[in-house]
Amino acid sequence: MAETDRQKKKIGFPMVAHYNCVVQYFVEQGLGQEYILQPQMTRRTMELGAKLAPDMVCTPFKTTLGSMIEALEAGADTLIMSFGLCRLGYYGELAEQILREQGYEFDYVNLAEYTTGKYRDYFKALRRVCPKLNAVRAGKVGLDALKMVEYIDEIEDLYHQNCGFALDHKACRAAYLRFFADMKRAKSRQDIDAGYQKAREALETLPLNKPAHPLRVALIGEYFTVMDEFSNLDLEETIADMGVELHRWMNLSHRNLHYPGEKNLNASIRDLCTYEMGPTSTANIWYARTCAEAGYDGIIHVKSAGCTPEIDIMPVLQRVGQQYKVPTLYLTYDSQTATAGLQTRLEAFYDMIDMRRKVRA
Amino acid sequence: MADRRFPASDRNLKKATIGIPRALLYNRSRILWSTFFHELELKTIFSSPTNRQTQEKGSERAIDEMCLSVKIYLGHVQELIGKCDYILVPRIVSYGIRRTMCTTFEALPDIVRNIFWQESPHILTYNVDLEHSLPEEQALTRMGISLGFLPGQARRAAKRALAAQKKADERQAKETEQLYKESGLRVAVAAHSYVLEDDYIGKPVADYLKKMGVTVIRADQVDRKAALDISAKVSPTLKWELSREIVGSLWMHRSRLDGIILMSVYPCALDSMVNDMIVRKFEGSGIPILQLTMDAQSGTAGVETRLESFIDIIRMRETAQREQERQREQKKQDERDQKEQDKLAARQRKELERQEKDERKQAQRRRKDEEKREKEQAKRAARERKAGERAARGKKETPQGSGEEAH
């Protein structure tokens, strides 16, 4: 790239689950700008956000705001914020207003401003981030980045379905973490593929002590909280480590890259819901029904406090639970949620589904 | 043409009774619905106004975390079950880009279906989703067709209903516009129509304000198009129709308001963000803002205290402002008086000066006159003396003198 380091923008993006390495790869390789990766989210992130954010807003806004501040502290001078179909669509503007009132100075690209009904208008946002955009290169790198998303989701699934049964739990975890370190360092498609192959091999060859029919739990819920391990307080790891095969459909590849479309998902749940009830509702109901039919031992529904679309599908999930006799645990996360209470509830849930299994057998 | 999601049309339904829950969009679409069904000669019944029981019954059936308005809505639906053939539960997604509704309105028919799945009431619905090119007229027409009416009949009813509702909205907006010109305390209540017009939540608040002698102005009754345009300037990515109307309305009339009450139900998804934005945007305007959150527990006493103190604050501010103004006026008056006096004094001084000058001039003139006179006297004296001398000489040599005279 012709731009020197001095001219490069330092781009920050709020933390979203494990996907920040994808943003980093795209920004650095595709747009030729610098990406500032803020530290992993901690309680401080939440406190920073909760202090400035309105009280009743859903929890992801608070963490997003906190991680934007941490990105600015880490040296970012340009922030990018996503658009969204629920309240997420208004996150960008309110966050900017709050940050500017606090006196932060930064360039801001709010994708929600580019919503016109045509997808190609989002390219205008790309041009603003990078005026000398090389469209061919950005497109090529973009495809690689999407591949990275798929790999991340695959490795996550693999890990959470097996980590509870690994004989050497530490090695399992290490392979998982090494994969993300590799993704963060990746400079080319070869690096991505190599990192993925290595992680897949490591996870698949680990000796497992897995019964033929392990307890299976499906994880559904709100887009952000269900994917982000800080926001759901390591829910997946905790429940998987109890010796459960954990299945989560909701991730970027399924919901965004390979989404079968609302109509096609809705076709098999027409008796439960006639219309789309929210941005991720159809998928969640469909997955709950699918897992219930497949005889899963339990369903865990995760959402942040006040997430309206997810609250609205709870009656449907309750009905699925009653019809198929699947125990369903509803978890709501707010900025106060602590691990101890969660641990107790998860243990009780595990004991219950374990006992049910034994009684049935 | 036919939406596969609609129940198969049944010609016998033409004599159906439609039950309409008196909650959520009822206040916004009352005329639309009643005109539509009236045009089709269908009987409509309404649930009774919200009371404590409605709310309690709804809360029993609802998910705990749902907002109070939805809980109340479910109470209304429950009341209608068994009393009618169909319950009208519309699904409104959006009126266009950045003109969406809260996702609950998108899910409402399915929420009702699933919460009452054991009673399984017949739900009548129409689906407005402009982003998927389903405008209101088409949605209503389809609903009419699903009830067994001919497309032409249904479309005519839909058109008339929409026109009637629009006319009513415009009239109401005009009436509200008049209130901004009233004298006295003008307080805008910014709340969704289903909160403000609810007999259990919002009405008591409005009534209490009126009892205190406040002009209560509904922010949601406004020229909608103008309000939407202005809201796009105030907050460009604000995308909820109901919030945009309120934000635009408040911003339009901000110079005419003495106070704003942001009233929302617990936990309202839209208001949680928009109210915060309103407070931030109005910070420089100097208008006092009260944020009032209504939940199922709130008895009237707590709310009344808060309203009273808020109105007191506005009144005190008003009084203080008036006092300030009075003082400023007084000061101005004083200054004016002072100036007047100064002017008078200056004039007097000038007068005096002129008089002095005159006197001085007169004195000068007098002195000059005297000098003249003295000079003349001196001259005369000199002449007399000369004459005397001549006379003396003449006595000595008279002939000479007479000779000279003769000469």
Side-chain angles (χ1 to χ4, degrees):
Chain A
M1 277 274 141
E3 283 172 331
T4 60
D5 282 354
R6 199 174 246 270
Q7 290 168 317
K8 277 184 183 174
K9 286 193 175 121
K10 294 176 180 164
I11 291 169
F13 190 76
M15 286 301 236
V16 183
H18 287 299
Y19 296 118
N20 283 64
C21 51
V22 180
V23 184
Q24 178 178 25
Y25 180 78
F26 182 67
V27 166
E28 291 190 343
Q29 309 304 322
L31 304 181
Q33 313 290 331
E34 198 178 328
Y35 180 74
I36 303 290
L37 183 64
Q38 64 271 55
Q40 288 294 326
M41 289 203 275
T42 58
R43 199 124 273 281
R44 178 175 180 268
T45 321
M46 180 75 91
E47 276 162 15
L48 276 176
K51 198 175 72 186
L52 298 171
D55 215 20
M56 310 255 285
V57 74
C58 38
T59 324
F61 181 79
K62 296 174 183 170
T63 46
T64 304
L65 187 63
S67 85
M68 277 180 171
I69 293 176
E70 286 186 331
L72 290 171
E73 285 172 349
D77 60 12
T78 305
L79 288 182
I80 302 181
M81 183 60 207
S82 162
F83 61 96
L85 298 172
C86 52
R87 263 187 278 188
L88 176 58
Y90 200 49
Y91 274 23
E93 196 182 329
L94 188 59
E96 185 188 8
Q97 178 84 19
I98 292 173
L99 291 177
R100 299 246 188 250
E101 274 178 27
Q102 288 298 309
Y104 289 102
E105 252 181 46
F106 53 92
D107 198 13
Y108 196 66
V109 181
N110 182 4
L111 293 181
E113 282 173 25
Y114 295 87
T115 305
T116 55
K118 289 186 216 119
Y119 277 105
R120 68 161 178 268
D121 282 321
Y122 291 116
F123 282 102
K124 286 184 191 155
L126 271 191
R127 288 226 181 264
R128 226 188 99 201
V129 178
C130 173
K132 292 179 191 165
L133 181 72
N134 180 343
V136 177
R137 187 188 166 86
K140 199 170 148 290
V141 173
L143 289 178
D144 291 349
L146 295 183
K147 199 77 205 163
M148 196 198 271
V149 171
E150 285 176 16
Y151 287 160
I152 290 175
D153 292 337
E154 239 177 87
I155 295 294
E156 271 190 355
D157 284 353
L158 191 62
Y159 174 72
H160 287 125
Q161 283 165 23
N162 294 318
C163 71
F165 308 101
L167 291 175
D168 188 353
H169 189 269
K170 267 186 186 164
C172 185
R173 179 90 187 149
Y176 182 60
L177 292 180
R178 202 180 318 114
F179 169 70
F180 289 113
D182 283 346
M183 289 302 111
K184 220 174 274 180
R185 273 197 299 271
K187 293 269 180 289
S188 66
R189 176 64 184 266
Q190 282 76 24
D191 295 350
I192 299 173
D193 286 344
Y196 164 71
Q197 294 296 351
K198 205 163 73 182
R200 185 154 195 112
E201 234 175 76
L203 287 175
E204 275 176 345
T205 51
L206 273 176
L208 296 180
N209 176 25
K210 199 171 179 176
H213 298 290
L215 284 174
R216 285 181 304 172
V217 168
L219 192 60
I220 57 173
E222 181 229 313
Y223 196 55
F224 183 82
T225 308
V226 80
M227 296 195 289
D228 189 75
E229 56 183 18
F230 169 73
S231 300
N232 62 32
L233 302 169
D234 264 335
L235 171 72
E236 287 181 276
E237 188 85 16
T238 316
I239 192 102
D241 282 350
M242 292 173 179
V244 170
E245 195 180 281
L246 196 68
H247 293 260
R248 162 161 70 85
W249 181 88
M250 184 62 64
N251 55 31
L252 272 188
S253 351
H254 283 145
R255 175 61 186 86
N256 300 81
L257 304 185
H258 304 299
Y259 192 51
E262 189 263 326
K263 287 236 161 91
N264 286 352
L265 281 185
N266 183 267
S268 61
I269 54 165
R270 182 64 44 77
D271 54 321
L272 292 173
C273 77
T274 326
Y275 299 104
E276 185 168 34
M277 295 171 77
T280 54
S281 306
T282 308
N284 278 331
I285 297 169
W286 167 79
Y287 193 60
R289 154 73 74 83
T290 310
C291 292
E293 275 177 353
Y296 276 47
D297 299 274
I299 295 174
I300 300 182
H301 179 245
V302 170
K303 68 170 181 303
S304 61
C307 175
T308 321
E310 292 304 322
I311 293 170
D312 289 344
I313 65 162
M314 279 168 70
V316 191
L317 297 177
Q318 287 177 345
R319 189 169 150 193
V320 171
Q322 281 174 25
Q323 279 181 342
Y324 291 88
K325 308 258 180 293
V326 189
T328 313
L329 177 66
Y330 299 96
L331 293 176
T332 302
Y333 289 89
D334 63 15
S335 48
Q336 305 293 322
T337 311
T339 42
L342 178 71
Q343 185 78 24
T344 316
R345 295 186 66 188
L346 288 180
E347 274 166 15
F349 185 70
Y350 172 80
D351 289 346
M352 192 254 289
I353 57 173
D354 194 36
M355 272 191 272
R356 270 185 102 231
R357 169 67 77 86
K358 278 173 191 153
V359 169
R360 282 184 166 185
Chain B
M1 170 75 188
D3 189 338
R4 64 195 164 83
R5 292 179 176 188
F6 264 97
S9 62
D10 184 344
R11 298 278 157 183
N12 293 332
L13 289 175
K14 274 192 178 182
K15 291 184 191 78
T17 310
I18 313 290
I20 298 179
R22 203 185 281 265
L24 287 185
L25 291 178
Y26 164 78
N27 296 301
R28 220 179 137 83
S29 318
R30 184 176 45 218
I31 293 170
L32 176 79
W33 295 338
S34 46
T35 317
F36 182 75
F37 293 120
H38 182 76
E39 285 288 325
L40 296 179
E41 290 172 5
L42 287 172
K43 211 179 138 215
T44 47
I45 58 165
F46 296 94
S47 55
S48 46
T50 316
N51 51 36
R52 189 168 191 87
Q53 273 172 357
T54 324
Q55 183 254 311
E56 278 170 0
K57 274 191 185 148
S59 301
E60 257 171 45
R61 301 302 295 261
I63 303 289
D64 281 346
E65 291 158 272
M66 283 177 170
C67 80
L68 182 59
S69 291
V70 175
K71 288 178 180 168
I72 287 175
Y73 187 83
L74 294 173
H76 283 278
V77 172
Q78 188 165 33
E79 191 194 317
L80 287 171
I81 288 176
K83 292 184 184 164
C84 54
D85 301 309
Y86 268 89
I87 299 176
L88 179 73
V89 186
R91 173 183 194 252
I92 317 282
V93 184
S94 79
Y95 295 103
I97 289 168
R98 293 214 187 92
R99 291 183 64 188
T100 58
M101 298 288 276
C102 169
T103 48
T104 296
F105 290 101
E106 189 179 333
L108 206 54
D110 287 315
I111 293 177
V112 171
R113 258 190 212 112
N114 281 285
I115 284 195
F116 297 105
W117 71 281
Q118 275 150 335
E119 291 97 325
S120 60
H122 290 292
I123 306 278
L124 183 66
T125 187
Y126 65 96
N127 177 16
V128 180
D129 187 352
L130 258 283
E131 273 169 296
H132 292 101
S133 29
L134 266 176
E136 256 181 313
E137 191 191 309
Q138 199 179 336
L140 286 168
T141 309
R142 282 191 186 187
M143 179 168 74
I145 295 170
S146 79
L147 282 170
F149 292 91
L150 295 171
Q153 273 178 311
R155 186 165 302 116
R156 195 167 52 241
K159 270 188 180 152
R160 284 193 185 154
L162 282 167
Q165 180 67 47
K166 199 175 169 201
K167 210 171 144 194
D169 287 343
E170 277 166 6
R171 203 193 56 233
Q172 223 154 23
K174 251 181 214 158
E175 275 170 20
T176 309
E177 206 65 35
Q178 290 302 317
L179 293 177
Y180 289 102
K181 291 174 189 142
E182 296 242 322
S183 58
L185 275 195
R186 292 178 300 262
V187 173
V189 181
H192 302 305
S193 59
Y194 50 82
V195 179
L196 193 49
E197 277 201 28
D198 193 273
D199 290 80
Y200 186 64
I201 338 174
K203 278 248 177 83
V205 172
D207 289 345
Y208 193 74
L209 283 171
K210 278 176 196 153
K211 216 170 78 188
M212 278 191 288
V214 173
T215 309
V216 180
I217 305 176
R218 284 183 56 176
D220 61 317
Q221 285 179 348
V222 67
D223 178 1
R224 289 187 183 158
K225 201 177 166 302
L228 287 180
D229 287 347
I230 286 178
S231 90
K233 277 174 203 135
V234 180
S235 176
T237 64
L238 187 56
K239 58 173 195 164
W240 299 293
E241 179 89 350
L242 298 181
S243 298
R244 283 183 64 179
E245 282 169 13
I246 287 173
V247 169
S249 167
L250 290 177
W251 194 258
M252 250 196 285
H253 301 108
R254 66 189 187 285
S255 60
R256 298 185 166 276
L257 292 175
D258 297 311
I260 296 173
I261 296 177
L262 302 175
M263 183 164 61
S264 49
V265 288
Y266 178 86
C268 180
L270 274 48
D271 292 351
S272 72
M273 298 186 85
V274 179
N275 283 359
D276 195 64
M277 192 57 123
I278 291 177
V279 171
R280 285 170 194 277
K281 293 275 184 196
F282 276 77
E283 208 168 69
S285 70
I287 304 173
I289 296 179
L290 172 69
Q291 293 199 61
L292 206 57
T293 306
M294 317 294 287
D295 64 12
Q297 266 80 44
S298 58
T300 46
V303 174
E304 280 171 10
T305 313
R306 295 192 60 194
L307 289 175
E308 261 171 39
S309 63
F310 181 65
I311 299 301
D312 281 352
I313 286 171
I314 300 182
R315 288 228 165 96
M316 253 147 62
R317 257 172 60 110
E318 291 274 291
T319 325
Q321 267 174 2
R322 228 173 293 138
E323 180 65 21
Q324 256 179 12
E325 220 147 272
R326 204 184 57 78
Q327 279 176 0
R328 220 177 297 140
E329 206 56 31
Q330 183 69 41
K331 216 172 149 191
K332 261 188 197 163
Q333 187 62 40
D334 286 354
E335 273 171 14
R336 227 177 291 143
D337 289 354
Q338 189 65 38
K339 249 184 202 167
E340 203 72 14
Q341 278 179 1
D342 285 354
K343 248 186 204 167
L344 208 69
R347 213 179 298 144
Q348 279 173 351
R349 204 164 49 239
K350 256 185 192 163
E351 195 69 28
L352 264 170
E353 270 171 19
R354 205 170 33 235
Q355 276 178 8
E356 257 173 44
K357 224 175 174 178
D358 283 355
E359 271 171 28
R360 229 178 300 140
K361 262 184 189 166
Q362 272 176 358
Q364 246 174 8
R365 212 175 295 146
R366 234 176 286 136
R367 210 167 38 245
K368 264 185 187 166
D369 285 352
E370 253 167 58
E371 272 171 20
K372 237 183 195 169
R373 227 175 292 135
E374 267 172 29
K375 259 184 195 167
E376 264 168 36
Q377 268 179 357
K379 258 184 189 170
R380 217 180 294 139
R383 217 182 290 142
E384 274 168 18
R385 204 170 49 242
K386 259 184 187 172
E389 272 171 22
R390 217 180 285 149
R393 226 185 291 148
K395 260 182 194 168
K396 255 193 230 168
E397 33 187 306
T398 313
Q400 248 180 17
S402 57
E404 230 172 86
E405 267 171 82
H407 186 70

